[in-house]
Amino acid sequence: MTLNLRTTTALCVALSMCALLAVPTNFPGLGGDARLTLVVFVLATCAWIGTSIDDTYIALGAGLALTVTGVISSDTLFGTLGDDTVWLLICAFVLAAAVSRTGLAGRAAVFLVSGARTVRQLVHLTTAALVVTAFAVPATSGRAALALPVFLALAKVLADRRRLVVMLALLFPTVILLSAVATLIGAGAHLITVSVLWETTGQHVGFTQWLLLGLPLAVASSHLAAELVLLTTTRRADRTGPVHITPEQIQRHSEQPVTGPRSQAEKRCVLLLATVITLWCSEPLHRVPPALVALIGAVIAASPALGTVRLKDALKTVPWSLLLFMAATMAMGVALADSGAAKWLVSGLPAGASPMVFLAVVITVSTAAHLVLQSRSARSSVLVPLVVAASAGVGVNPVAAALASTAAAGFCHTLPASAKPVTLFAQLPGTPTYAPRDLLRLSAVLAPLTAALVLFFAVAVWPLLGVSVTR
């Protein structure tokens, strides 16, 4: 669909829906605040889908419209900026800047990749390394930027084996996107999901609980995807050839030392990062909120005596646009819940649907949503409030439904423009990389398998970890 056709279609849908909602006799039982909320929600969603206007600008406009019309208060709108999840993400980016400055990523890559002796070992060791980065760098775009130099170094070492380079180019963004579900800070969509659950149901999903539920899924889906990438982009002859990558080869293409004794800055950074992650994971024991732990870590990471990065330099890496987007969409979620709009939207769903069927529909829709809503955070902003509201009508645990939707929405590999990491690794001048047909071939197999895997975890694994399917 061309941009003009897409914009025209979105505009027609938006105007039609708004016209229907503007007639008081339509949709009896729908209150005034709920009507206004749905009008704003429809306009924002259609703008996200059909226009090139910045997602954050649209979200801020929607939040402002809801405030001016009195659906939510100004305290609600501005209060979302002070939410602890926003502070958690800010501080996590400061910590990530400290890690990036020291060059620890290159050392970690050498430690893992240099041990590979076969192509399959290289693929799965790289996958394991990328999964681990979810604990150190927030948001998928940040992890892609951190991993890009490592990939370019590997691409130069393997320059005489073009198919392997193309395979690695596809492997990096694929694993980065699917492994984000491992941690709460893995994507802004996760923080939106947690906020929606808290605002609408009062149920809190902390860093530790998310880690317990998300990490096994991240590991399973990442290694499954790695195997599929290997099989769909290489031939048998490519996979059977030996691989031997030495630290010296990677060092020739790296600006920072990847071997030798660690510097004092690197040692301090490793200790600080290990301490912060340990405190995050042990939250039930000490009861210190993850955002406060992250703030303490960020202050130390940027301190003149112990830090490895200046605070003003670290703050430049924070995606302020994403934070404003999160805050505005949190306000939209509050409006959907408090006005009764979300409850009305799902009131027409057929009663009696089994939890398995409901979750299967939620996961299928969430998996396919990237084809119309390219922003992962926007997908969660639209889907999660509706999923949480609908889950009550069929007796499904809203936590299980929201997590399943968010995890499934992590699949966004179909087109080069579907996600920032996919776009980044598709545009590498002078380096062989994948074509759109490679993405389509992978997605045709990976989409149904990842959806089935999320459903399996939701109905068979998560109940063993304390999140039941039914309420």
Side-chain angles (χ1 to χ4, degrees):
M1 183 182 292
T2 65
L3 181 60
N4 288 338
L5 178 58
R6 191 170 184 168
T7 302
T8 303
T9 303
L11 180 62
C12 291
V13 171
L15 292 177
S16 301
M17 293 298 297
C18 291
L20 289 172
L21 289 167
V23 179
T25 55
N26 288 338
F27 314 117
L30 190 61
D33 283 353
R35 287 178 186 271
L36 285 172
T37 301
L38 287 177
V39 167
V40 173
F41 189 75
V42 167
L43 289 174
T45 302
C46 290
W48 281 328
I49 294 172
T51 72
S52 58
I53 301 173
D54 184 80
D55 291 342
T56 301
Y57 187 85
I58 295 169
L60 288 174
L64 180 62
L66 291 169
T67 305
V68 170
T69 54
V71 177
I72 58 175
S73 66
S74 59
D75 289 341
T76 298
L77 176 64
F78 296 126
T80 54
L81 281 171
D83 192 274
D84 58 351
T85 56
V86 173
W87 279 93
L88 173 62
L89 199 58
I90 292 173
C91 298
F93 269 98
V94 174
L95 288 168
V99 172
S100 300
R101 182 66 62 91
T102 61
L104 286 172
R107 288 185 181 272
V110 167
F111 175 75
L112 285 171
V113 175
S114 61
R117 293 296 176 265
T118 66
V119 173
R120 184 164 272 108
Q121 285 180 355
L122 174 64
V123 166
H124 287 284
L125 286 173
T126 301
T127 298
L130 291 171
V131 172
V132 171
T133 62
F135 294 90
V137 182
T140 54
S141 56
R143 292 169 62 205
L146 180 70
L148 183 58
V150 177
F151 163 73
L152 292 176
L154 291 175
K156 290 174 182 177
V157 173
L158 298 170
D160 59 333
R161 303 176 72 175
R162 188 180 186 280
R163 288 185 185 275
L164 291 189
V165 176
V166 172
M167 180 271 295
L168 288 174
L170 186 53
L171 176 71
F172 271 71
T174 297
V175 174
I176 287 170
L177 290 168
L178 292 178
S179 62
V181 74
T183 70
L184 183 59
I185 62 172
H190 302 171
L191 303 178
I192 292 172
T193 298
V194 169
S195 296
V196 170
L197 282 170
W198 173 251
E199 294 288 347
T200 56
T201 69
Q203 297 188 65
H204 175 66
V205 178
F207 187 93
T208 305
Q209 186 180 14
W210 190 290
L211 180 68
L212 183 65
L213 299 170
L215 181 58
L217 175 59
V219 172
S221 61
S222 296
H223 284 279
L224 171 65
E227 196 66 26
L228 290 176
V229 169
L230 180 63
L231 294 175
T232 57
T233 57
T234 62
R235 299 171 180 172
R236 183 182 295 273
D238 302 316
R239 298 191 292 270
T240 54
V243 171
H244 183 60
I245 301 175
T246 65
E248 291 74 22
Q249 288 175 310
I250 296 180
Q251 181 66 79
R252 286 199 293 269
H253 307 289
S254 176
E255 297 179 358
Q256 296 171 315
V258 297
T259 58
R262 288 198 300 265
S263 66
Q264 289 299 318
E266 288 176 316
K267 292 178 181 178
R268 291 197 303 270
C269 194
V270 168
L271 179 61
L272 175 61
L273 188 61
T275 302
V276 168
I277 293 175
T278 301
L279 291 173
W280 277 341
C281 296
S282 57
E283 178 192 357
L285 299 177
H286 53 70
R287 300 293 180 184
V288 179
L292 184 57
V293 172
L295 180 58
I296 295 171
V299 169
I300 295 174
S303 65
L306 301 175
T308 59
V309 65
R310 292 190 301 176
L311 183 59
K312 68 176 183 179
D313 293 333
L315 290 176
K316 291 178 182 178
T317 68
V318 177
W320 298 105
S321 178
L322 172 62
L323 296 177
L324 290 173
F325 179 89
M326 285 174 50
T329 52
M330 286 178 195
M332 291 174 64
V334 171
L336 278 171
D338 291 352
S339 68
K343 185 176 181 180
W344 179 85
L345 279 173
V346 300
S347 61
L349 294 177
S354 70
M356 176 75 80
V357 172
F358 175 78
L359 286 174
V361 172
V362 166
I363 291 169
T364 301
V365 172
S366 300
T367 301
H370 72 282
L371 296 174
V372 290
L373 274 173
Q374 294 171 339
S375 167
R376 190 172 188 164
S377 297
R379 292 198 294 277
S380 289
S381 301
V382 172
L383 293 173
V384 172
L386 302 181
V387 167
V388 170
S391 63
V394 295
V396 173
N397 184 352
V399 174
L403 290 179
S405 173
T406 305
F411 176 85
C412 37
H413 303 66
T414 307
L415 302 169
S418 294
K420 290 178 182 177
V422 179
T423 304
L424 178 63
F425 279 84
Q427 300 172 353
L428 300 172
T431 302
T433 187
Y434 47 84
R437 64 177 180 275
D438 298 314
L439 288 172
L440 292 174
R441 183 167 56 245
L442 174 65
S443 297
V445 183
L446 186 58
L449 287 181
T450 53
L453 187 63
V454 172
L455 181 61
F456 171 76
F457 268 77
V459 301
V461 178
W462 289 346
L464 301 177
L465 302 175
V467 177
S468 59
V469 175
T470 57
R471 303 186 66 159

